[in-house]
Structures are given as C-alpha cells and as structure tokens.
Amino acid sequence: MNHPEKPLISIIIPCYNAEKYLHECLNSVLSQSYENWECLLINDGSKDKTFQILEEFSKVDNRFFVFSQENKGLSATRNVGVHNAKGDYLLFLDSDDLLTKNSLQSFVNKADKSEIITGITVTVNGENLDRISQLKHTKEASVFFENDNLEVLKRTVEAGLAPVAQNRLYKKEFLERHKLQFLHGIFHEDELWFFETMYLAKNVKFINAETYLYRTDNSQSITKNVGEKNLESYLKILETVFQKYYQNNSDSYKKAVVERYLQYLKKLIIDFCIREQAKLSENSILKLEKTLKETHTIFGSKEVLSPKNEKYYKALNKLSLQAFPVIKKHFFKNPVNSIRKEFKLLIIRYFLK
C-alpha cells in the first residue's frame, strides 16, 4: 500500500519504431529525483530495435515493465498501459520526449486533491535539446480550478490551452470511475481525450514547474505527416463530442460550454483544411461540409465567454453552414483585433444566407 505523501506514479510510454530517441527518454525516467514510480513500456509492433532497448532497461531496473503487441496504434497502446497500471496516478510520456529531472517530484508536491495536474511543457530541438518555446499554459502559471462550470474548457476556447494527454498527472481512480479510454483508430486522439477528461474532472490544477521536454524535430511525428486520415479523425472527434456531450445534455450551462467548444473544434478543423487543402481530396472536402452541417448548433441566450469571443464563435457557427470555398474566403482565426476582422464578422453575420 502506498503512503499518501509518496504515491506510486505509473508512467506509460507507447513505443513504435522509437529506437532513435528511446535511450534518452528512458534515461530521463531512470534519473527522476522522485523514486516511487513504475514505468510501463508498450512495444506496438516495432520493426526496429525498440523491443531490445526496452528489454535492456527492464534488466537494469525492475520498475520497468515491458509489454509487446502487434501494431494497433497509439490509442490502443496507451489503453494497455492504463489497464495494467498499478499506480495512484498515471502519466503519459511519448517515446521521443523526456521528463525533467524533478518532474515527478514537482507533480507530487502539488497533487493534493486534484484529479488532474498539468506541468509546463518546454518544446526542444536538436541533439542539445535547444529550448524553443512552451506549449500554451495558463497565464497565471499556477492555478487551481474547481471546474464546476467547466472553467478549463472555457479557458481553452478563450485562450487555446494545449490539448495534449502527456505531461498531466491523472488520478487513476478518476479514470476508472468514468471508464475513460482513448478512442481507437484515429489520429489526434489527444484532442478528444483532453475534452473528455476536462469535461469530467471535478478539479484541475496547473503548476508553475517545467516538467516535460517535447521534441519538435522528429520527422516521423504525426504532426510532420498529414493527409486525409487527419481530417477523418478530426471529424470523428467533432461528431463524438456533438453526439455524446451536446445532443442530450440536460444541464443548460454545460451544454452552452460544449456548444462553444464544438465551434472551437470547427475552427481548428477549418484552419487545418485551408492550410492542407492540397493534400485533401474533393470527397474529403464534401465530407467536411456534410459534418459541419450535421453538427450545427443553435446558440441559446446563455453567454459563457467574453463578448468578443461570443460574437466570433456565433459567426463561425453560421459560416460553417456554407460551402467550403465560401468558408475559406471569409474564415479567420480569433481574436477579433482589427477593423478587417470586424468587417469580416459583419459580412458573415448580416450578408451570408
């Protein structure tokens, strides 16, 4: 049994053809100042030396546990880790990234009653792990949300918090209570996982500590290779949130927040399609138009965002009913901070049918 002040942390690392960066990743776990951890290493049908490296580390330290399976994708692989974890808390780590030396200790120091704790993610590049920037964190750096009114999702719609699964400490009891799993067979599974965990969590903490190094120079990363599957996945996420959390939501306030979050997802998807249009087929664009219409919402009188953002997302909701060429012509990302953007809003609100 674990002492409350020294909870067991289960670190889950999915591994697919990860030999290039894997030693660095696992050494960052091995060198943690906090020692009460287990690390679940799931080999997802790798064709390179990944499995041998995992076996090597499991012989060095018995806190490493190796699992191996035929290739099933990131969602299924993470779910294997969740199912087999014995810790009080779970932490997802990608096999090309690293933990900072005091990462786990920083989390434990601030854990208290929070169901989810998020540290600061630093983006790095190259052999020397040169610092580039940080993924979007709360402006207060350290803040606790009771989350009764879905404050984290509202903050995300307003300010674009990074919707990632890694670098967050999750209470295992919270995940088990809600039977949370990653959706199989899609890319961008973090987008849906982020929404569902932040919708269901009773309290969430963001801490002012750098706990994770996110590598941006991995040419095999999904963010470097985009196409039709990416759009299919985005649309599946949009449909899931609409059907599961919006359509039959009896809480008018939460439904209003989900409504705005759906528009936020549409903004991300439309922006992706405009940016990557050359890689998308005509059928994909038709599927986009169809899904945007099928997930259309009717904005009620309840306002949950700042006035400027309310205006923007209501206009985006209307714009998303148009054909893609019209959407592309009038679309812009918020904030509304110029006369040109104000004029575009005027066109969308009053002149588009």
Side-chain angles (χ1 to χ4, degrees), residues 270 273-274 277 281-282 284-290 292-293 319-332 344 347-348 352:
I270 292 168
C273 289
I274 292 172
Q277 187 177 0
S281 68
E282 184 178 342
S284 290
I285 296 299
L286 290 174
K287 170 67 173 171
L288 166 71
E289 293 176 345
K290 180 173 181 287
L292 290 177
K293 288 182 175 71
L319 180 63
S320 66
L321 291 173
Q322 304 296 318
F324 183 68
V326 178
I327 294 174
K328 183 178 178 181
K329 178 180 178 181
H330 296 287
F331 174 78
F332 66 92
K344 282 201 166 195
I347 295 294
I348 295 167
L352 289 184

Side-chain angles (χ1 to χ4, degrees), residues 43 48 62 68 71 97 108 121 144 186 201 203 228 257 260 268 292 304 307 310 331 351:
N43 174 40
D48 61 3
N62 62 12
S68 201
N71 183 255
D97 297 335
V108 169
T121 297
F144 176 81
I186 64 169
N203 41 68
E228 305 262 319
V257 175
R260 273 63 173 180
L268 299 180
L292 290 177
V304 298
E310 284 288 337
F331 174 78
F351 295 96

Side-chain angles (χ1 to χ4, degrees), residues 107 196 317:
F107 279 124
E196 292 193 296
N317 189 39

